[in-house]
Amino acid sequence: MSDPRPDGPEGWGALTRVTEDADLTDSLRRIAGTGCSLLDSCSAASVTVIVARRPVTMAATDELATALDQAQYDMDDGPCLTAARRQETIRIDSIADDDRWPTFRDAAIGHDIGSSLSLPLIISDDGTFGGLNLYAHGVARLSADDQQLAATFALQASIAVSNVVAYWASFDLSRNLQAAMEHRGVIEQAKGILMASHRCSPDEAFAILRRRSQDENRKLRDIAVEIVALTQTGDPT
Amino acid sequence: MIDVAPLRAARQFLELTIMELWIDYFALGGIQDAKTLAAYLNGDGETSPGDHDAIVQALNEVFIDRGLNHPLDYAMT
């Protein structure tokens, strides 16, 4: 049997490096690639994330995995969706002989994929489900030992994916807040200019800005940027 | 008292989270924290007409991105 220890295969160190990736997709692609590389027969892998009941392949080793996932999304059914939603592992030794998901079966046959292994990723975020999908050419190429090894990896990957989701959510929030601070700054400058030129209150200055926003159907911050810029060269109002 | 029901309906229609709306509102000069904003939209609490209009503007700017021109009314004329 293959070594199922969390610190066993060298590739598992990839899970600790996900925060060095450029974004969430890179992190999940690394997880998909590492999961596939652990199994000798794995030909392609992907990570499915279901948010608000909508499944999406967040990362894949190649287009083959994406195509097989899409065949399942088109029918809103298939082994990887079932694994993610029911949080159970589904191993198919011979996809051609499995009649549960005909669309997926036909797509797999079309890509010469004979066996698959779908494992749940337990994501600590309400309403979000994940799955690791492993595909292999040929029949019965993913064994019970492979399943045990992949299940242990998926458990570790679940923690990494949850952390990555939280990390990138915080990163996005930080970036959005930085942009918001910049927009707020220029809007406050424009309000100050209007308060001085119109001798009005902050609320009235904001009303002037948003009336122009309405009249021109433009974002208020774009108008504020113009006012601040024009103040340096001419009449801002 | 200003009617917040249209704002609440707009947020749901636009599928904006409270945090997404709060960031846009904060960028426009909004003065309440996200928790207070959520309570206000639920009809719990009050704010100034100017601050109310910052919430309206934040929602209207999302409507701009969707091809509409300021469908929500402001408190101040």
Side-chain angles (χ1 to χ4, degrees):
Chain A
M1 182 180 138
S2 305
D3 184 357
R5 292 173 299 171
D7 57 349
E10 187 178 347
W12 291 26
L15 294 179
T16 66
R17 296 198 296 271
V18 289
T19 55
E20 297 171 13
D21 294 328
D23 57 26
L24 173 60
T25 304
D26 278 357
S27 301
L28 297 178
R29 188 179 298 117
R30 183 192 291 271
I31 287 169
T34 303
C36 194
S37 68
L38 289 173
L39 310 183
D40 292 339
S41 300
C42 181
S43 304
S46 62
V47 173
T48 294
V49 176
I50 302 173
V51 181
R53 295 191 294 277
R54 285 192 292 248
V56 62
T57 296
M58 293 291 290
T61 55
D62 54 32
E63 292 182 1
L64 190 159
T66 304
L68 294 179
D69 289 352
Q70 190 58 50
Q72 299 176 64
Y73 303 159
D74 290 344
M75 301 304 293
D76 196 30
D77 203 4
C80 79
L81 294 181
T82 303
R85 287 173 175 152
R86 295 186 186 170
Q87 296 288 286
E88 64 184 36
T89 299
I90 296 176
R91 190 177 94 234
I92 305 177
D93 288 335
S94 176
I95 294 174
D97 295 322
D98 192 312
D99 295 328
R100 286 177 290 179
W101 302 289
T103 302
F104 166 71
R105 178 195 61 203
D106 294 345
I109 291 171
H111 288 87
D112 193 30
I113 290 296
S115 36
S116 70
L117 184 55
S118 305
L119 304 115
L121 295 173
I122 302 163
I123 299 174
S124 56
D125 184 24
D126 289 344
T128 303
F129 304 93
L132 175 65
N133 318 304
L134 306 167
Y135 303 106
H137 293 297
V139 172
R141 299 301 301 273
L142 299 169
S143 67
D145 282 352
D146 287 337
Q147 179 175 333
Q148 187 171 347
L149 177 61
T152 307
F153 173 78
L155 197 59
Q156 301 285 326
S158 294
I159 298 168
V161 170
S162 293
N163 288 338
V164 166
V165 168
Y167 173 82
W168 287 109
S170 298
F171 182 82
D172 285 345
L173 177 61
S174 170
R175 192 167 51 184
N176 290 339
L177 277 173
Q178 186 177 357
M181 289 289 288
E182 290 170 6
H183 295 154
R184 185 184 174 105
V186 75
I187 288 168
E188 291 299 327
Q189 288 172 14
K191 282 167 64 178
I193 292 165
L194 293 170
M195 288 165 64
S197 61
H198 288 72
R199 298 190 178 280
C200 64
S201 70
D203 280 355
E204 288 166 336
F206 184 80
I208 292 170
L209 287 169
R210 65 93 177 149
R211 277 196 292 271
R212 275 193 59 185
S213 168
Q214 274 182 293
D215 292 344
E216 301 170 22
N217 198 28
R218 297 166 63 208
K219 300 278 179 76
L220 190 144
R221 66 171 175 269
D222 294 334
I223 293 161
V225 166
E226 277 183 6
I227 289 174
V228 171
L230 282 171
T231 300
Q232 299 169 46
T233 55
D235 181 2
T237 56
Chain B
M1 185 171 172
I2 307 170
D3 184 13
V4 296
L7 279 60
R8 191 164 55 237
R11 184 180 77 83
Q12 290 172 346
F13 174 79
L14 295 167
E15 297 183 330
L16 289 177
T17 66
I18 282 293
M19 188 53 70
E20 287 169 337
L21 175 60
W22 179 80
I23 288 175
D24 290 348
Y25 152 84
F26 174 77
L28 289 162
I31 57 173
Q32 310 289 355
D33 60 37
K35 189 176 178 182
T36 306
L37 172 64
Y40 178 68
L41 291 177
N42 283 327
D44 183 15
E46 294 186 9
T47 194
S48 70
D51 193 56
H52 173 92
D53 281 353
I55 305 170
V56 176
Q57 182 68 22
L59 290 162
N60 273 337
E61 293 202 351
V62 180
F63 279 114
I64 291 176
D65 289 335
R66 311 232 179 142
L68 296 174
N69 186 355
H70 297 73
L72 293 171
D73 292 333
Y74 295 88
M76 295 177 67
T77 55

